[in-house]
Amino acid sequence: MRQKQTAQFYTIRDISEILNTDYRLIAKRITSGEIPHYKIGQKTIRVRVEEFEKWLKESYVTNN
C-alpha cells in the first residue's frame, strides 16, 4: 500500500515567529508576492515549508 504524503505549510504567524519579526511585515511581504504562498479561500494564506526555506536561502546576503 502506498503511503500518502502530506505537504507541510506555515501560517503568517509561524513565519513571523521563526524570523522573530512583526506579523504585519511578513503579511506585507507575502501579499506583495515576495514570499511565495497559496491563498485558500478569501482570507487563508499558507506558505509551503520547502518554498519558504528556499526563499530564505535566496535572501541571504553575504556582503552589504
Side-chain angles (χ1 to χ4, degrees):
M1 190 164 131
R2 204 167 136 192
Q3 285 187 355
K4 185 178 179 181
Q5 291 184 341
T6 58
Q8 298 295 319
F9 291 91
Y10 288 137
T11 64
I12 296 173
R13 177 100 31 231
D14 293 335
I15 293 172
S16 67
E17 289 175 5
I18 289 166
L19 298 178
N20 194 29
T21 192
D22 186 57
Y23 176 93
R24 292 170 293 191
L25 177 66
I26 300 304
K28 184 177 178 182
R29 297 281 190 261
I30 286 174
T31 57
S32 74
E34 184 179 334
I35 299 175
H37 64 281
Y38 297 88
K39 189 170 182 184
I40 304 164
Q42 294 230 332
K43 295 183 180 181
T44 305
I45 293 176
R46 296 290 182 264
V47 177
R48 189 182 292 262
V49 170
E50 295 85 12
E51 291 174 354
F52 170 72
E53 290 172 351
K54 181 181 176 198
W55 172 82
L56 193 59
K57 286 178 187 176
E58 291 171 354
S59 299
Y60 180 73
V61 177
T62 56
N63 294 327
N64 272 337

Short mmCIF file of all heavy atoms in Angstrom, two decimals:
data_model
loop_
_atom_site.label_atom_id
_atom_site.label_comp_id
_atom_site.label_asym_id
_atom_site.label_seq_id
_atom_site.Cartn_x
_atom_site.Cartn_y
_atom_site.Cartn_z
N MET A 1 0.82 -1.18 0.00
CA MET A 1 0.00 0.00 0.00
C MET A 1 0.88 1.25 0.00
O MET A 1 1.87 1.32 0.71
CB MET A 1 -0.90 -0.01 1.24
CG MET A 1 -1.94 1.05 1.20
SD MET A 1 -3.20 0.65 2.42
CE MET A 1 -3.32 2.17 3.23
N ARG A 2 0.52 2.19 -0.78
CA ARG A 2 1.28 3.43 -0.91
C ARG A 2 0.92 4.41 0.19
O ARG A 2 -0.25 4.63 0.47
CB ARG A 2 0.95 4.04 -2.28
CG ARG A 2 1.98 4.95 -2.79
CD ARG A 2 1.70 5.22 -4.24
NE ARG A 2 1.90 6.65 -4.44
CZ ARG A 2 1.55 7.31 -5.49
NH1 ARG A 2 0.94 6.70 -6.47
NH2 ARG A 2 1.78 8.58 -5.61
N GLN A 3 1.95 5.00 0.80
CA GLN A 3 1.69 5.98 1.86
C GLN A 3 1.39 7.34 1.25
O GLN A 3 2.04 7.76 0.29
CB GLN A 3 2.89 6.11 2.78
CG GLN A 3 3.04 4.96 3.72
CD GLN A 3 4.14 5.23 4.73
OE1 GLN A 3 4.84 6.22 4.66
NE2 GLN A 3 4.29 4.32 5.66
N LYS A 4 0.43 7.99 1.82
CA LYS A 4 0.05 9.33 1.37
C LYS A 4 0.97 10.35 2.02
O LYS A 4 1.14 10.35 3.24
CB LYS A 4 -1.41 9.60 1.76
CG LYS A 4 -1.94 10.89 1.24
CD LYS A 4 -3.39 11.03 1.64
CE LYS A 4 -3.95 12.34 1.16
NZ LYS A 4 -5.34 12.52 1.55
N GLN A 5 1.58 11.21 1.21
CA GLN A 5 2.44 12.25 1.74
C GLN A 5 1.63 13.54 1.84
O GLN A 5 0.89 13.88 0.93
CB GLN A 5 3.63 12.49 0.83
CG GLN A 5 4.62 11.35 0.84
CD GLN A 5 5.84 11.68 0.00
OE1 GLN A 5 5.82 12.56 -0.83
NE2 GLN A 5 6.90 10.94 0.23
N THR A 6 1.78 14.20 2.95
CA THR A 6 1.09 15.47 3.12
C THR A 6 2.12 16.60 3.11
O THR A 6 3.21 16.48 3.65
CB THR A 6 0.30 15.52 4.45
OG1 THR A 6 1.20 15.30 5.53
CG2 THR A 6 -0.78 14.46 4.47
N ALA A 7 1.75 17.69 2.46
CA ALA A 7 2.62 18.85 2.40
C ALA A 7 2.57 19.59 3.73
O ALA A 7 1.53 19.63 4.39
CB ALA A 7 2.18 19.76 1.27
N GLN A 8 3.67 20.15 4.11
CA GLN A 8 3.76 20.92 5.34
C GLN A 8 3.69 22.41 5.00
O GLN A 8 4.37 22.87 4.09
CB GLN A 8 5.06 20.61 6.07
CG GLN A 8 5.18 19.16 6.48
CD GLN A 8 4.13 18.77 7.52
OE1 GLN A 8 3.85 19.54 8.43
NE2 GLN A 8 3.56 17.60 7.37
N PHE A 9 2.90 23.14 5.74
CA PHE A 9 2.71 24.56 5.48
C PHE A 9 2.92 25.39 6.75
O PHE A 9 2.72 24.91 7.86
CB PHE A 9 1.28 24.82 4.98
CG PHE A 9 1.02 24.28 3.61
CD1 PHE A 9 0.53 22.99 3.46
CD2 PHE A 9 1.26 25.04 2.49
CE1 PHE A 9 0.28 22.48 2.19
CE2 PHE A 9 1.02 24.54 1.23
CZ PHE A 9 0.53 23.25 1.07
N TYR A 10 3.32 26.65 6.54
CA TYR A 10 3.42 27.63 7.61
C TYR A 10 2.30 28.65 7.44
O TYR A 10 1.88 28.93 6.32
CB TYR A 10 4.74 28.40 7.54
CG TYR A 10 5.96 27.64 7.95
CD1 TYR A 10 7.13 27.74 7.20
CD2 TYR A 10 5.99 26.85 9.09
CE1 TYR A 10 8.29 27.08 7.58
CE2 TYR A 10 7.15 26.17 9.47
CZ TYR A 10 8.29 26.30 8.71
OH TYR A 10 9.42 25.65 9.08
N THR A 11 1.89 29.21 8.55
CA THR A 11 0.99 30.36 8.53
C THR A 11 1.86 31.62 8.60
O THR A 11 3.07 31.54 8.85
CB THR A 11 0.05 30.35 9.74
OG1 THR A 11 0.83 30.48 10.93
CG2 THR A 11 -0.78 29.08 9.80
N ILE A 12 1.23 32.77 8.42
CA ILE A 12 1.96 34.03 8.56
C ILE A 12 2.51 34.14 9.98
O ILE A 12 3.66 34.55 10.19
CB ILE A 12 1.05 35.23 8.23
CG1 ILE A 12 0.63 35.17 6.76
CG2 ILE A 12 1.76 36.55 8.53
CD1 ILE A 12 -0.40 36.20 6.37
N ARG A 13 1.72 33.76 10.95
CA ARG A 13 2.17 33.81 12.36
C ARG A 13 3.38 32.91 12.57
O ARG A 13 4.33 33.29 13.25
CB ARG A 13 1.03 33.39 13.28
CG ARG A 13 1.39 33.33 14.71
CD ARG A 13 1.02 34.48 15.62
NE ARG A 13 -0.18 35.20 15.29
CZ ARG A 13 -0.22 36.53 15.18
NH1 ARG A 13 0.87 37.25 15.36
NH2 ARG A 13 -1.33 37.14 14.90
N ASP A 14 3.37 31.71 11.99
CA ASP A 14 4.51 30.80 12.11
C ASP A 14 5.79 31.46 11.60
O ASP A 14 6.82 31.42 12.26
CB ASP A 14 4.29 29.51 11.32
CG ASP A 14 3.18 28.64 11.85
OD1 ASP A 14 2.87 28.72 13.05
OD2 ASP A 14 2.62 27.86 11.04
N ILE A 15 5.70 32.06 10.43
CA ILE A 15 6.87 32.69 9.82
C ILE A 15 7.35 33.88 10.65
O ILE A 15 8.56 34.06 10.85
CB ILE A 15 6.58 33.10 8.37
CG1 ILE A 15 6.38 31.84 7.53
CG2 ILE A 15 7.73 33.94 7.80
CD1 ILE A 15 5.90 32.10 6.13
N SER A 16 6.42 34.67 11.15
CA SER A 16 6.83 35.81 11.97
C SER A 16 7.53 35.35 13.25
O SER A 16 8.47 35.99 13.71
CB SER A 16 5.64 36.72 12.28
OG SER A 16 4.72 36.09 13.13
N GLU A 17 7.11 34.23 13.80
CA GLU A 17 7.77 33.68 14.99
C GLU A 17 9.13 33.09 14.64
O GLU A 17 10.10 33.27 15.38
CB GLU A 17 6.88 32.64 15.66
CG GLU A 17 5.67 33.25 16.33
CD GLU A 17 4.71 32.23 16.91
OE1 GLU A 17 5.01 31.02 16.88
OE2 GLU A 17 3.64 32.65 17.39
N ILE A 18 9.23 32.40 13.52
CA ILE A 18 10.51 31.82 13.09
C ILE A 18 11.55 32.92 12.88
O ILE A 18 12.70 32.80 13.30
CB ILE A 18 10.33 31.00 11.79
CG1 ILE A 18 9.56 29.72 12.09
CG2 ILE A 18 11.69 30.68 11.15
CD1 ILE A 18 9.05 29.02 10.85
N LEU A 19 11.14 34.01 12.22
CA LEU A 19 12.05 35.11 11.92
C LEU A 19 12.11 36.15 13.02
O LEU A 19 12.86 37.12 12.91
CB LEU A 19 11.65 35.77 10.59
CG LEU A 19 11.71 34.86 9.36
CD1 LEU A 19 11.25 35.62 8.13
CD2 LEU A 19 13.12 34.32 9.16
N ASN A 20 11.32 35.95 14.07
CA ASN A 20 11.26 36.88 15.19
C ASN A 20 11.04 38.32 14.69
O ASN A 20 11.80 39.24 15.01
CB ASN A 20 12.54 36.80 16.03
CG ASN A 20 12.39 37.49 17.36
OD1 ASN A 20 11.29 37.57 17.90
ND2 ASN A 20 13.49 37.99 17.89
N THR A 21 10.00 38.47 13.90
CA THR A 21 9.67 39.77 13.34
C THR A 21 8.16 40.01 13.40
O THR A 21 7.40 39.11 13.72
CB THR A 21 10.21 39.89 11.90
OG1 THR A 21 10.12 41.23 11.47
CG2 THR A 21 9.47 38.99 10.94
N ASP A 22 7.77 41.21 13.08
CA ASP A 22 6.37 41.61 13.17
C ASP A 22 5.49 40.88 12.16
O ASP A 22 5.87 40.72 10.99
CB ASP A 22 6.28 43.12 12.94
CG ASP A 22 4.88 43.66 13.17
OD1 ASP A 22 4.35 43.46 14.28
OD2 ASP A 22 4.32 44.26 12.23
N TYR A 23 4.33 40.45 12.61
CA TYR A 23 3.35 39.76 11.77
C TYR A 23 3.01 40.59 10.53
O TYR A 23 2.92 40.07 9.43
CB TYR A 23 2.09 39.51 12.62
CG TYR A 23 0.93 38.89 11.87
CD1 TYR A 23 0.78 37.52 11.86
CD2 TYR A 23 0.00 39.67 11.20
CE1 TYR A 23 -0.28 36.92 11.19
CE2 TYR A 23 -1.06 39.09 10.52
CZ TYR A 23 -1.19 37.72 10.52
OH TYR A 23 -2.22 37.14 9.84
N ARG A 24 2.82 41.90 10.72
CA ARG A 24 2.43 42.77 9.60
C ARG A 24 3.50 42.85 8.52
O ARG A 24 3.18 42.94 7.34
CB ARG A 24 2.08 44.17 10.11
CG ARG A 24 0.81 44.17 10.97
CD ARG A 24 0.64 45.47 11.65
NE ARG A 24 1.74 45.59 12.63
CZ ARG A 24 1.82 46.49 13.56
NH1 ARG A 24 0.89 47.40 13.68
NH2 ARG A 24 2.82 46.51 14.41
N LEU A 25 4.76 42.81 8.92
CA LEU A 25 5.85 42.83 7.95
C LEU A 25 5.82 41.58 7.07
O LEU A 25 5.94 41.67 5.84
CB LEU A 25 7.20 42.93 8.65
CG LEU A 25 8.42 42.88 7.74
CD1 LEU A 25 8.46 44.10 6.84
CD2 LEU A 25 9.69 42.79 8.57
N ILE A 26 5.61 40.44 7.69
CA ILE A 26 5.54 39.18 6.93
C ILE A 26 4.30 39.18 6.04
O ILE A 26 4.38 38.80 4.86
CB ILE A 26 5.53 37.96 7.88
CG1 ILE A 26 6.81 37.93 8.73
CG2 ILE A 26 5.37 36.67 7.10
CD1 ILE A 26 8.10 37.93 7.93
N ALA A 27 3.17 39.64 6.55
CA ALA A 27 1.95 39.71 5.75
C ALA A 27 2.16 40.59 4.53
O ALA A 27 1.73 40.26 3.42
CB ALA A 27 0.79 40.23 6.59
N LYS A 28 2.85 41.70 4.70
CA LYS A 28 3.13 42.61 3.58
C LYS A 28 4.02 41.94 2.54
O LYS A 28 3.77 42.04 1.34
CB LYS A 28 3.81 43.87 4.11
CG LYS A 28 4.05 44.92 3.07
CD LYS A 28 4.65 46.17 3.69
CE LYS A 28 4.95 47.20 2.63
NZ LYS A 28 5.58 48.40 3.22
N ARG A 29 5.05 41.22 3.00
CA ARG A 29 5.95 40.51 2.07
C ARG A 29 5.20 39.42 1.31
O ARG A 29 5.46 39.16 0.14
CB ARG A 29 7.12 39.88 2.83
CG ARG A 29 8.02 40.84 3.53
CD ARG A 29 8.98 41.49 2.54
NE ARG A 29 10.01 42.24 3.22
CZ ARG A 29 9.97 43.55 3.39
NH1 ARG A 29 8.96 44.24 2.94
NH2 ARG A 29 10.95 44.18 4.00
N ILE A 30 4.28 38.77 1.97
CA ILE A 30 3.50 37.70 1.33
C ILE A 30 2.53 38.30 0.32
O ILE A 30 2.49 37.86 -0.83
CB ILE A 30 2.78 36.85 2.39
CG1 ILE A 30 3.80 35.96 3.09
CG2 ILE A 30 1.68 36.00 1.75
CD1 ILE A 30 3.26 35.17 4.25
N THR A 31 1.77 39.29 0.72
CA THR A 31 0.76 39.86 -0.20
C THR A 31 1.40 40.59 -1.37
O THR A 31 0.79 40.70 -2.42
CB THR A 31 -0.22 40.78 0.54
OG1 THR A 31 0.49 41.82 1.20
CG2 THR A 31 -1.05 40.00 1.54
N SER A 32 2.64 41.06 -1.21
CA SER A 32 3.34 41.70 -2.34
C SER A 32 3.89 40.67 -3.31
O SER A 32 4.31 41.01 -4.41
CB SER A 32 4.48 42.58 -1.83
OG SER A 32 5.57 41.79 -1.39
N GLY A 33 3.90 39.39 -2.89
CA GLY A 33 4.39 38.33 -3.75
C GLY A 33 5.86 38.01 -3.52
O GLY A 33 6.41 37.13 -4.17
N GLU A 34 6.51 38.70 -2.60
CA GLU A 34 7.92 38.46 -2.34
C GLU A 34 8.14 37.06 -1.76
O GLU A 34 9.09 36.38 -2.12
CB GLU A 34 8.46 39.50 -1.35
CG GLU A 34 9.93 39.37 -1.09
CD GLU A 34 10.45 40.43 -0.15
OE1 GLU A 34 9.85 41.52 -0.06
OE2 GLU A 34 11.47 40.16 0.51
N ILE A 35 7.26 36.64 -0.87
CA ILE A 35 7.31 35.28 -0.32
C ILE A 35 6.23 34.47 -1.03
O ILE A 35 5.05 34.82 -0.99
CB ILE A 35 7.06 35.29 1.20
CG1 ILE A 35 8.14 36.12 1.91
CG2 ILE A 35 7.03 33.86 1.74
CD1 ILE A 35 7.91 36.29 3.40
N PRO A 36 6.62 33.37 -1.71
CA PRO A 36 5.62 32.56 -2.42
C PRO A 36 4.62 31.96 -1.44
O PRO A 36 4.98 31.55 -0.34
CB PRO A 36 6.46 31.47 -3.09
CG PRO A 36 7.75 31.45 -2.38
CD PRO A 36 7.96 32.80 -1.78
N HIS A 37 3.35 31.93 -1.86
CA HIS A 37 2.30 31.48 -0.95
C HIS A 37 1.11 30.93 -1.72
O HIS A 37 1.03 31.06 -2.94
CB HIS A 37 1.84 32.64 -0.07
CG HIS A 37 1.20 33.75 -0.85
ND1 HIS A 37 1.94 34.67 -1.55
CD2 HIS A 37 -0.10 34.07 -1.04
CE1 HIS A 37 1.11 35.53 -2.15
NE2 HIS A 37 -0.13 35.17 -1.85
N TYR A 38 0.21 30.33 -0.97
CA TYR A 38 -1.04 29.82 -1.50
C TYR A 38 -2.17 30.54 -0.79
O TYR A 38 -2.14 30.69 0.43
CB TYR A 38 -1.19 28.31 -1.25
CG TYR A 38 -0.12 27.51 -1.95
CD1 TYR A 38 1.10 27.25 -1.33
CD2 TYR A 38 -0.34 27.02 -3.23
CE1 TYR A 38 2.08 26.53 -1.98
CE2 TYR A 38 0.64 26.28 -3.87
CZ TYR A 38 1.85 26.04 -3.25
OH TYR A 38 2.81 25.33 -3.89
N LYS A 39 -3.16 30.98 -1.54
CA LYS A 39 -4.33 31.61 -0.94
C LYS A 39 -5.47 30.60 -1.03
O LYS A 39 -5.88 30.19 -2.11
CB LYS A 39 -4.68 32.89 -1.69
CG LYS A 39 -5.75 33.69 -1.00
CD LYS A 39 -5.89 35.06 -1.62
CE LYS A 39 -6.94 35.84 -0.86
NZ LYS A 39 -7.20 37.13 -1.47
N ILE A 40 -5.98 30.24 0.14
CA ILE A 40 -7.04 29.25 0.23
C ILE A 40 -8.28 29.98 0.72
O ILE A 40 -8.33 30.42 1.85
CB ILE A 40 -6.64 28.12 1.21
CG1 ILE A 40 -5.31 27.51 0.77
CG2 ILE A 40 -7.73 27.08 1.30
CD1 ILE A 40 -4.63 26.69 1.82
N GLY A 41 -9.23 30.13 -0.16
CA GLY A 41 -10.41 30.90 0.22
C GLY A 41 -10.10 32.39 0.19
O GLY A 41 -9.17 32.84 -0.46
N GLN A 42 -10.87 33.18 0.92
CA GLN A 42 -10.71 34.62 0.89
C GLN A 42 -9.63 35.14 1.83
O GLN A 42 -8.98 36.13 1.54
CB GLN A 42 -12.04 35.27 1.24
CG GLN A 42 -13.09 35.02 0.19
CD GLN A 42 -13.75 36.30 -0.23
OE1 GLN A 42 -13.83 37.22 0.54
NE2 GLN A 42 -14.20 36.35 -1.46
N LYS A 43 -9.43 34.47 2.96
CA LYS A 43 -8.52 35.01 3.96
C LYS A 43 -7.36 34.10 4.35
O LYS A 43 -6.40 34.57 4.95
CB LYS A 43 -9.30 35.36 5.24
CG LYS A 43 -10.29 36.47 5.05
CD LYS A 43 -10.96 36.80 6.35
CE LYS A 43 -11.96 37.92 6.18
NZ LYS A 43 -12.60 38.27 7.44
N THR A 44 -7.45 32.83 4.04
CA THR A 44 -6.45 31.88 4.49
C THR A 44 -5.25 31.87 3.56
O THR A 44 -5.38 31.62 2.37
CB THR A 44 -7.05 30.47 4.59
OG1 THR A 44 -8.20 30.53 5.43
CG2 THR A 44 -6.05 29.49 5.16
N ILE A 45 -4.07 32.12 4.12
CA ILE A 45 -2.82 32.11 3.36
C ILE A 45 -1.89 31.11 4.02
O ILE A 45 -1.72 31.10 5.23
CB ILE A 45 -2.18 33.51 3.33
CG1 ILE A 45 -3.06 34.45 2.52
CG2 ILE A 45 -0.76 33.45 2.78
CD1 ILE A 45 -2.59 35.88 2.50
N ARG A 46 -1.26 30.29 3.19
CA ARG A 46 -0.30 29.31 3.67
C ARG A 46 0.94 29.36 2.79
O ARG A 46 0.87 29.62 1.60
CB ARG A 46 -0.87 27.89 3.64
CG ARG A 46 -2.04 27.67 4.57
CD ARG A 46 -1.62 27.71 6.02
NE ARG A 46 -2.71 27.45 6.93
CZ ARG A 46 -3.42 28.38 7.53
NH1 ARG A 46 -3.19 29.65 7.30
NH2 ARG A 46 -4.39 28.05 8.37
N VAL A 47 2.08 29.07 3.43
CA VAL A 47 3.37 29.04 2.73
C VAL A 47 3.94 27.65 2.91
O VAL A 47 4.10 27.17 4.03
CB VAL A 47 4.33 30.10 3.31
CG1 VAL A 47 5.69 30.02 2.63
CG2 VAL A 47 3.73 31.50 3.17
N ARG A 48 4.26 27.01 1.80
CA ARG A 48 4.84 25.67 1.86
C ARG A 48 6.22 25.76 2.50
O ARG A 48 7.01 26.64 2.17
CB ARG A 48 4.93 25.06 0.47
CG ARG A 48 5.32 23.59 0.45
CD ARG A 48 5.45 23.07 -0.96
NE ARG A 48 4.17 23.01 -1.62
CZ ARG A 48 3.42 21.92 -1.74
NH1 ARG A 48 3.86 20.78 -1.24
NH2 ARG A 48 2.27 21.95 -2.36
N VAL A 49 6.52 24.86 3.43
CA VAL A 49 7.77 24.88 4.17
C VAL A 49 8.97 24.90 3.21
O VAL A 49 9.89 25.71 3.38
CB VAL A 49 7.86 23.67 5.14
CG1 VAL A 49 9.25 23.54 5.74
CG2 VAL A 49 6.81 23.80 6.23
N GLU A 50 8.96 24.05 2.20
CA GLU A 50 10.09 23.97 1.27
C GLU A 50 10.28 25.29 0.52
O GLU A 50 11.41 25.72 0.29
CB GLU A 50 9.88 22.84 0.25
CG GLU A 50 9.87 21.45 0.86
CD GLU A 50 8.50 21.06 1.40
OE1 GLU A 50 7.49 21.74 1.11
OE2 GLU A 50 8.44 20.05 2.13
N GLU A 51 9.19 25.93 0.12
CA GLU A 51 9.28 27.18 -0.62
C GLU A 51 9.75 28.32 0.29
O GLU A 51 10.52 29.19 -0.15
CB GLU A 51 7.94 27.52 -1.26
CG GLU A 51 7.60 26.55 -2.38
CD GLU A 51 6.22 26.76 -2.95
OE1 GLU A 51 5.44 27.58 -2.42
OE2 GLU A 51 5.91 26.08 -3.94
N PHE A 52 9.34 28.30 1.55
CA PHE A 52 9.81 29.31 2.49
C PHE A 52 11.31 29.15 2.71
O PHE A 52 12.06 30.13 2.70
CB PHE A 52 9.06 29.20 3.82
CG PHE A 52 9.66 30.05 4.90
CD1 PHE A 52 9.53 31.43 4.85
CD2 PHE A 52 10.38 29.48 5.94
CE1 PHE A 52 10.10 32.23 5.83
CE2 PHE A 52 10.94 30.27 6.92
CZ PHE A 52 10.80 31.64 6.87
N GLU A 53 11.76 27.92 2.92
CA GLU A 53 13.19 27.68 3.13
C GLU A 53 14.02 28.09 1.92
O GLU A 53 15.10 28.67 2.07
CB GLU A 53 13.42 26.22 3.49
CG GLU A 53 12.89 25.87 4.87
CD GLU A 53 12.94 24.39 5.20
OE1 GLU A 53 13.24 23.57 4.30
OE2 GLU A 53 12.67 24.06 6.36
N LYS A 54 13.51 27.83 0.73
CA LYS A 54 14.20 28.25 -0.49
C LYS A 54 14.27 29.78 -0.56
O LYS A 54 15.33 30.34 -0.86
CB LYS A 54 13.48 27.70 -1.73
CG LYS A 54 14.14 28.07 -3.03
CD LYS A 54 13.38 27.53 -4.21
CE LYS A 54 14.05 28.02 -5.49
NZ LYS A 54 13.18 27.92 -6.63
N TRP A 55 13.15 30.45 -0.29
CA TRP A 55 13.13 31.91 -0.30
C TRP A 55 14.11 32.47 0.72
O TRP A 55 14.85 33.41 0.43
CB TRP A 55 11.71 32.42 0.00
CG TRP A 55 11.65 33.89 0.20
CD1 TRP A 55 11.58 34.84 -0.77
CD2 TRP A 55 11.69 34.59 1.45
NE1 TRP A 55 11.57 36.08 -0.21
CE2 TRP A 55 11.64 35.96 1.15
CE3 TRP A 55 11.77 34.19 2.77
CZ2 TRP A 55 11.66 36.93 2.15
CZ3 TRP A 55 11.79 35.15 3.76
CH2 TRP A 55 11.73 36.50 3.44
N LEU A 56 14.15 31.87 1.88
CA LEU A 56 15.04 32.34 2.94
C LEU A 56 16.50 32.19 2.53
O LEU A 56 17.30 33.11 2.72
CB LEU A 56 14.75 31.56 4.22
CG LEU A 56 15.36 32.09 5.51
CD1 LEU A 56 14.88 33.51 5.78
CD2 LEU A 56 14.99 31.18 6.67
N LYS A 57 16.86 31.06 1.94
CA LYS A 57 18.24 30.85 1.47
C LYS A 57 18.60 31.86 0.38
O LYS A 57 19.70 32.38 0.35
CB LYS A 57 18.41 29.43 0.94
CG LYS A 57 18.47 28.40 2.03
CD LYS A 57 18.58 27.01 1.47
CE LYS A 57 18.47 25.98 2.56
NZ LYS A 57 18.48 24.60 2.03
N GLU A 58 17.66 32.13 -0.52
CA GLU A 58 17.92 33.09 -1.61
C GLU A 58 18.03 34.52 -1.10
O GLU A 58 18.62 35.37 -1.76
CB GLU A 58 16.83 32.98 -2.67
CG GLU A 58 16.88 31.68 -3.45
CD GLU A 58 15.67 31.49 -4.36
OE1 GLU A 58 14.74 32.31 -4.32
OE2 GLU A 58 15.69 30.49 -5.10
N SER A 59 17.49 34.78 0.08
CA SER A 59 17.52 36.11 0.66
C SER A 59 18.81 36.39 1.44
O SER A 59 19.05 37.51 1.88
CB SER A 59 16.33 36.30 1.61
OG SER A 59 15.12 36.17 0.90
N TYR A 60 19.62 35.37 1.60
CA TYR A 60 20.86 35.51 2.36
C TYR A 60 21.80 36.48 1.67
O TYR A 60 22.03 36.41 0.47
CB TYR A 60 21.54 34.14 2.51
CG TYR A 60 22.83 34.18 3.27
CD1 TYR A 60 22.83 34.36 4.65
CD2 TYR A 60 24.03 34.03 2.63
CE1 TYR A 60 24.01 34.40 5.36
CE2 TYR A 60 25.23 34.07 3.33
CZ TYR A 60 25.20 34.26 4.69
OH TYR A 60 26.38 34.30 5.40
N VAL A 61 22.33 37.43 2.43
CA VAL A 61 23.25 38.44 1.90
C VAL A 61 24.61 38.23 2.55
O VAL A 61 24.73 38.22 3.78
CB VAL A 61 22.73 39.86 2.22
CG1 VAL A 61 23.71 40.90 1.73
CG2 VAL A 61 21.36 40.07 1.62
N THR A 62 25.65 38.08 1.71
CA THR A 62 26.98 37.87 2.26
C THR A 62 27.71 39.19 2.49
O THR A 62 28.51 39.31 3.41
CB THR A 62 27.82 36.99 1.32
OG1 THR A 62 27.86 37.59 0.03
CG2 THR A 62 27.24 35.60 1.23
N ASN A 63 27.49 40.17 1.65
CA ASN A 63 28.15 41.48 1.78
C ASN A 63 27.12 42.58 1.69
O ASN A 63 26.20 42.52 0.90
CB ASN A 63 29.18 41.69 0.66
CG ASN A 63 30.33 40.72 0.75
OD1 ASN A 63 30.73 40.34 1.84
ND2 ASN A 63 30.85 40.32 -0.39
N ASN A 64 27.30 43.63 2.46
CA ASN A 64 26.41 44.79 2.36
C ASN A 64 27.01 45.86 1.51
O ASN A 64 28.03 46.25 1.45
CB ASN A 64 26.10 45.37 3.74
CG ASN A 64 24.89 44.68 4.35
OD1 ASN A 64 24.07 44.13 3.63
ND2 ASN A 64 24.81 44.70 5.64
#
